[in-house]
Amino acid sequence: MANLPEALARIAEERDWVGLEALCDQHILAVEGELAGRLLFVLGQVPDEELRARPRLMISWIGAYHAANQPHVSELRSYLRHYAELGTRLMATMDIASETSIATLVAVGTAAMIGLRMHGACAEAEELGQRLTSRVAQLSPLPGVDGVPRPGWLAMQRGLTRSLMDDFPAAVALYRQAYEHATVEPTTAATALNATANLAMIFGHLGHGALARQWLDRMRDFESPSQRVRFLLTAGGTVAQGWDALDRYDEATLATCLEITGDGTKQLEVWPFAAALVLARGLYLGDPAASLAHLGALRLSHAPALVEQGIAVRVVRRAHVDLLIANGQATRALRVIKEADPQTSWLALPAARLRLLNGEYEAVRAMAARMPWHETTSRRDARQMLLLRAIAALRMGDKDEARQSVGLVSRVRSPDDVLSLASLSPVDRDDLIRLVDIPLTDEATWRLARARPVFPERVRLVELTSREHVVLTELDAGLTVAEVARKLVVSVNTVRTQVKSAYRKLEASSREDALMRAYELGVL
């Protein structure tokens, strides 16, 4: 960096556009302030025909302009938009199969990938990433072909795409590949920093605390090329630190992390991961009612195409269910689960919690037994599911099974983990602690004692049969019992029986009461 001003002066004097291209490839993320202004000045001297022939210089122009004129983190969204738009336009004129510059393929291709992701087209972004990877692999062994200026950057961007697509195994493999390639050269710290941060983010999101901390330690080994881009490169690591703090009920550290990532409404590509942390904090440490309202604002803060796909769908629906239960809206929560798919693994925990709170202990034991244990199973969910199973067994008088379940919990939690125990009611928690010695550090014991109850101690679920739901819907539309019978091609007595059953479940004595109660509970 110290020799960059001299290099820029020489390039401008000699009109060495090849050298300028190589310099930008290596240092564009590092330039800021006065140096960015100098680079922008030199880029302004490049003839139009040279710019058109060298698309990487056009991309560097955008980076230099924003670094010189909009250096603050709050302006990075504007930079990313211009960067992605240019990449999309350049990619539209590029024939990947005939392009012979690896550097151009990676620079233009990854900018176009980001543009596709910003519009919610993750599948198309990954398809483009695969084509770019194949072409780079074809060119790499050939003599005379330029090298990759930022090794691992393409794998890094494909990893982010897979993360947003909710394909964590593929994302982890790509991030690891990016990390391994980037650590070959000291000038590729940006890629290594981003890859380690996002690996920590995924493991933190899945409750693998030890693995997340390992990648956070590696992340700290790399310095950001500039303060201007540090926020984007390390946002995933900040989310991982926040999950670690939440697991320990360390409110101060968690608050510090969320001051950096924001409340989930920031236009970050990793916003679903930040939103999951924000909503979990509201559930366990904040105000569930306020968090339920914030969930609606969060949905409106991002384009529907971004909210309705991949990891975002999982985060939003899971938070919605958890917050509904915490707010005492159990039947509404059950409806959301059934509409999503009751067999979805990431809804297994709240589904089991509803059954426990409704007194269906055998159902909880069965659901816990069916819970899949694979690489994408949240260890945070697994800990809580085993505890729910222990409580169900204890309430059914099976102390041996309860002890066995708590013993399994000890294998997937650390003594400083507070969240899994804090998710239980104080009575249930005390019952388990009396039954089995659960390892806790002194600090964890102190924080657990101050944890507030998260979920109601009991709920009442109202579950109508599919036919009762249809009949109630028709009554809501204004039909009489006789009209409903004719429409459904059944007898009047059959409809009356179904109406009485629905009224009984809703604890109502009239159509008006039943419909009001149904809307109140979220049945309709």
Side-chain angles (χ1 to χ4, degrees):
M1 287 290 290
N3 297 324
L4 274 182
E6 296 177 12
L8 283 173
R10 180 194 61 77
I11 286 169
E13 181 179 351
E14 298 177 4
R15 301 176 69 78
D16 177 11
W17 311 133
V18 174
L20 180 60
E21 199 170 35
L23 183 145
C24 289
D25 286 343
Q26 187 172 358
H27 297 292
I28 190 59
L29 291 179
V31 296
E32 52 188 341
E34 182 182 349
L35 188 57
R38 290 191 188 186
L39 175 58
L40 186 61
F41 175 76
V42 175
L43 285 166
Q45 298 179 39
V46 180
D48 289 347
E49 63 272 16
E50 287 287 344
L51 275 180
R52 285 192 292 271
R54 302 180 186 281
R56 281 147 44 214
L57 288 183
M58 298 174 67
I59 291 175
S60 296
W61 185 313
I62 289 179
Y65 174 83
H66 282 273
N69 296 288
Q70 297 176 325
H72 302 295
V73 169
S74 60
E75 304 295 337
L76 284 174
R77 183 63 182 179
S78 174
Y79 159 61
L80 285 176
R81 185 178 69 254
H82 292 149
Y83 165 74
E85 287 174 352
L86 176 59
T88 301
R89 290 199 299 271
L90 293 173
M91 181 53 63
T93 64
M94 178 185 289
D95 181 3
I96 293 177
S98 61
E99 178 60 55
T100 58
S101 168
I102 293 178
T104 299
L105 282 167
V106 172
V108 175
T110 53
M113 287 173 64
I114 293 172
L116 288 167
R117 290 200 306 256
M118 290 173 70
H119 288 89
C122 284
E124 291 88 339
E126 173 56 6
E127 189 273 335
L128 173 58
Q130 291 173 354
R131 289 168 57 207
L132 292 167
T133 301
S134 296
R135 182 57 179 161
V136 168
Q138 289 175 344
L139 293 172
S140 294
L142 299 179
V145 174
D146 61 354
V148 182
R150 277 184 277 172
W153 187 245
L154 178 54
M156 169 62 222
Q157 290 302 322
R158 288 187 61 199
L160 180 51
T161 303
R162 286 291 185 176
S163 298
L164 297 174
M165 293 173 72
D166 198 18
D167 184 356
F168 291 162
V172 168
L174 287 162
Y175 286 142
R176 286 181 182 273
Q177 179 184 332
Y179 170 75
E180 290 166 2
H181 289 177
T183 49
V184 172
E185 299 181 19
T187 57
T188 56
T191 302
L193 185 65
N194 207 175
T196 52
N198 285 9
L199 279 163
M201 175 184 73
I202 286 183
F203 287 122
H205 182 83
L206 291 175
H208 294 276
L211 286 172
R213 287 189 291 274
Q214 287 177 20
W215 286 107
L216 284 172
D217 288 341
R218 295 189 189 186
M219 184 188 81
R220 297 183 185 103
D221 291 337
F222 301 98
E223 293 187 7
S224 176
S226 67
Q227 286 302 312
R228 186 175 67 91
V229 298
R230 181 173 181 80
F231 170 68
L232 286 178
L233 297 176
T234 61
T238 305
V239 170
Q241 291 172 321
W243 276 117
D244 181 66
L246 178 59
D247 285 336
R248 294 181 290 106
Y249 261 47
D250 180 352
E251 297 187 51
T253 300
L254 177 57
T256 299
C257 292
L258 293 182
E259 284 177 7
I260 298 171
T261 64
D263 63 358
T265 61
K266 279 188 178 181
Q267 302 302 302
L268 289 170
E269 284 211 88
V270 296
W271 73 265
F273 295 92
L277 177 62
V278 168
L279 295 167
R281 180 209 195 185
L283 174 68
Y284 292 105
L285 296 173
D287 181 350
S291 294
L292 198 55
H294 179 65
L295 182 59
L298 194 148
R299 283 191 180 112
L300 293 175
S301 299
H302 302 281
L306 299 177
V307 177
E308 296 167 4
Q309 67 163 333
I311 186 62
V313 170
R314 177 199 288 207
V315 165
V316 169
R317 288 184 180 173
R318 171 60 186 272
H320 190 196
V321 171
D322 283 337
L323 290 168
L324 284 172
I325 299 173
N327 280 284
Q329 300 183 47
T331 299
R332 195 180 298 273
L334 182 62
R335 181 181 177 184
V336 173
I337 291 173
K338 288 183 175 181
E339 288 175 349
D341 180 359
Q343 300 304 316
T344 301
S345 62
W346 44 271
L347 290 175
L349 177 65
R353 193 185 309 281
L354 280 173
R355 297 302 173 186
L356 180 74
L357 298 179
N358 196 47
E360 301 174 56
Y361 306 133
E362 192 57 58
V364 175
R365 297 167 79 178
M367 294 169 80
R370 291 195 303 268
M371 186 171 185
W373 286 73
H374 48 64
E375 67 271 20
T376 60
T377 300
S378 166
R379 286 297 180 268
R380 201 170 285 111
D381 280 9
R383 290 191 284 269
Q384 294 190 37
M385 181 67 92
L386 287 169
L387 289 171
L388 295 188
R389 178 183 175 185
I391 293 167
L394 198 58
R395 290 184 183 174
M396 294 180 70
D398 191 340
K399 292 185 177 181
D400 289 338
E401 182 180 335
R403 290 191 186 93
Q404 182 184 27
S405 294
V406 176
L408 290 173
V409 172
S410 299
R411 300 181 186 179
V412 290
R413 72 172 289 277
S414 61
D416 61 353
D417 169 48
V418 175
L419 184 141
S420 58
L421 293 171
S423 67
L424 307 176
S425 73
V427 173
D428 288 333
R429 185 167 63 237
D430 291 344
D431 286 345
L432 290 183
I433 291 175
R434 278 194 296 270
L435 182 70
V436 182
D437 181 23
I438 300 177
L440 285 166
T441 63
D442 291 342
E443 186 174 8
T445 301
W446 181 83
R447 287 178 172 161
L448 183 60
R450 285 155 181 76
R452 66 162 178 80
V454 178
F455 300 102
E457 291 190 10
R458 296 286 185 275
V459 299
R460 179 177 173 273
L461 294 176
V462 175
E463 295 186 76
L464 301 182
T465 65
S466 58
R467 183 49 65 97
E468 288 168 353
H469 189 274
V470 169
V471 168
L472 206 60
T473 301
E474 298 298 343
L475 292 178
D476 186 38
L479 274 64
T480 65
V481 169
E483 290 170 336
V484 173
R486 283 196 297 272
K487 184 173 182 179
L488 300 180
V489 195
V490 295
S491 70
V492 172
N493 285 338
T494 297
V495 173
R496 286 191 178 124
T497 299
Q498 292 162 346
V499 168
K500 288 179 181 178
S501 177
Y503 283 12
R504 184 179 67 257
K505 292 178 180 179
L506 293 166
E507 297 181 342
S509 57
S510 67
R511 176 189 297 217
E512 292 74 17
D513 287 345
L515 293 176
M516 182 180 298
R517 182 68 172 152
Y519 277 110
E520 190 178 87
L521 293 171
V523 173
L524 290 180

